[in-house]
Amino acid sequence: MLELRLIQGSLLKKVLEAIKDLVTEANFDCSATGFSLQAMDSSHVALVALLLRSEGFDHYRCDRNLSMGINLNNMSKMLRCAGPEDIITIKGDDGTDTVTFMFESQKQDKISDFEMKLMDIDSEHLGIPDAEYQAIVRMPSAEFARICKDLGSIGDTVVISVTKEGVKFFTRGDVGSANIVCRQNTSVDKPEDSTVIEMNEPVSLTFALRYMNSFTKATTLSEVVTISLSSELPVVVEYKIAEMGYIRFYLAPKIED
Amino acid sequence: DTRQFEIKTYFSKK
């Protein structure tokens, strides 16, 4: 038996919008810890890890660990039928091949049940080791989205370099090149507007902008994005989900031949 | 030229 009630149902809607274009189908895992997902894109270049902790739900019942294979496009279609203020409850049972999404209006005067078929998905679960990163950049998520969009109109790849001076985003394409530098900038009144750079060592890595632009679909979930870089590791682009957990996108770098 | 690596190059199978 599975019953997860989320007062702020819009969070789940936003999560789906953030990942459905990157990953078409995935197993959602439900355990005492929370509702989670780990999936790779079809090219196996990027990986998304989602965690919504059990404490963040208004009601969380998960009698035993359950994995639900879901087509994310279909789930997104169903969640789009929930109103922006609706409370969403996810219901499932062992041994059935469906999951039910229940939408309740704030006033409790409209209750909808959407039943969706589950599917068998044979997915690989990868172990993500804890790592020390050479540089960690925290910046406004809207600023990062703007940079990725702007650079995506010029080139296909972005070189992200962190030095004492700041974080530099560089691209080159047929029409020319672009270079954007963001310096550390702390705002006491509005910490979410700050750009904070923690650097142990300078680092410079190249990534496909197509993926970065896909990650920025999570911008609505958090005002701040954290970008963790190390020369021997995939970049981690993390959006915290208020008091509930996170979406982390991992992207393998492009390396000079 | 740059080569795109797969994520599995870095993270092992659980």
Side-chain angles (χ1 to χ4, degrees):
Chain A
M1 174 79 180
L2 170 83
E3 209 167 82
L4 319 180
R5 189 170 189 264
L6 185 60
I7 299 267
Q8 211 185 333
S10 60
L11 280 183
L12 196 61
K13 286 161 71 83
K14 288 178 186 173
V15 163
L16 257 289
E17 291 310 306
I19 59 178
K20 73 174 174 56
D21 294 334
L22 187 69
V23 175
T24 48
E25 43 195 49
N27 285 313
F28 277 89
D29 298 312
C30 198
S31 71
T33 313
F35 194 55
S36 64
L37 168 150
Q38 190 202 86
M40 280 182 280
D41 78 297
S42 59
S43 312
H44 293 188
V45 166
L47 179 141
V48 54
L50 162 75
L51 174 65
L52 299 175
R53 288 186 197 93
S54 51
E55 306 89 81
F57 289 83
D58 165 53
H59 169 72
Y60 192 94
R61 179 177 171 186
C62 175
D63 295 344
R64 61 193 191 92
N65 293 359
L66 193 65
S67 188
M68 296 187 294
I70 287 180
N71 176 303
L72 298 187
N73 208 29
N74 293 346
M75 182 171 169
S76 160
K77 277 183 198 168
M78 294 211 161
L79 293 186
R80 273 188 226 157
C81 300
E85 308 292 324
D86 280 3
I87 297 159
I88 298 181
T89 303
I90 303 166
K91 294 183 196 177
D93 260 317
D94 280 345
T96 61
D97 59 354
T98 59
V99 59
T100 299
F101 302 108
M102 183 175 84
F103 311 141
E104 295 168 73
S105 64
Q106 286 280 340
K107 285 196 243 161
Q108 308 277 315
D109 55 352
K110 181 181 170 193
I111 292 169
S112 319
D113 278 302
F114 284 70
E115 192 182 78
M116 191 180 76
K117 289 177 194 156
L118 296 175
M119 56 200 297
D120 281 327
I121 297 170
D122 189 18
S123 69
E124 283 181 80
H125 221 74
L126 299 181
I128 302 168
D130 283 332
E132 286 282 319
Y133 286 88
Q134 284 168 278
I136 299 173
V137 178
R138 283 181 194 82
M139 65 189 293
S141 59
E143 184 62 58
F144 178 63
R146 174 73 200 259
I147 291 169
C148 291
K149 182 169 165 279
D150 288 349
L151 296 188
S153 67
I154 312 281
D156 296 330
T157 59
V158 58
V159 182
I160 306 179
S161 309
V162 183
T163 62
K164 274 188 293 184
E165 311 304 315
V167 53
K168 186 173 90 172
F169 301 88
F170 172 79
T171 193
R172 192 194 304 277
D174 293 340
V175 296
S177 64
N179 202 29
I180 300 172
V181 178
C182 297
R183 293 209 173 90
Q184 175 142 303
N185 143 42
T186 47
S187 166
V188 180
D189 297 339
K190 289 190 78 186
E192 63 274 20
D193 286 347
S194 301
T195 296
V196 179
I197 297 165
E198 279 174 36
M199 192 195 75
N200 296 321
E201 276 177 75
V203 60
S204 183
L205 286 161
T206 304
F207 301 101
L209 271 167
R210 182 164 70 87
Y211 289 97
M212 286 291 179
N213 269 308
S214 176
F215 303 162
T216 62
K217 289 183 179 153
T219 301
T220 54
L221 282 163
S222 175
E223 287 193 85
V224 176
V225 63
T226 306
I227 305 157
S228 305
L229 297 144
S230 260
S231 49
E232 299 299 320
L233 288 171
V235 62
V236 192
V237 178
E238 182 186 64
Y239 296 86
K240 289 240 187 308
I241 302 170
E243 290 156 30
M244 284 212 78
Y246 55 77
I247 292 192
R248 290 180 188 148
F249 297 100
Y250 296 83
L251 177 61
K254 297 186 86 158
I255 310 259
E256 284 295 333
D257 258 342
Chain B
D1 263 8
T2 52
R3 196 166 123 220
Q4 176 66 67
F5 277 76
E6 284 199 358
I7 203 92
K8 284 189 275 189
T9 316
Y10 301 91
F11 299 151
S12 58
K13 205 169 161 180
K14 236 181 189 176

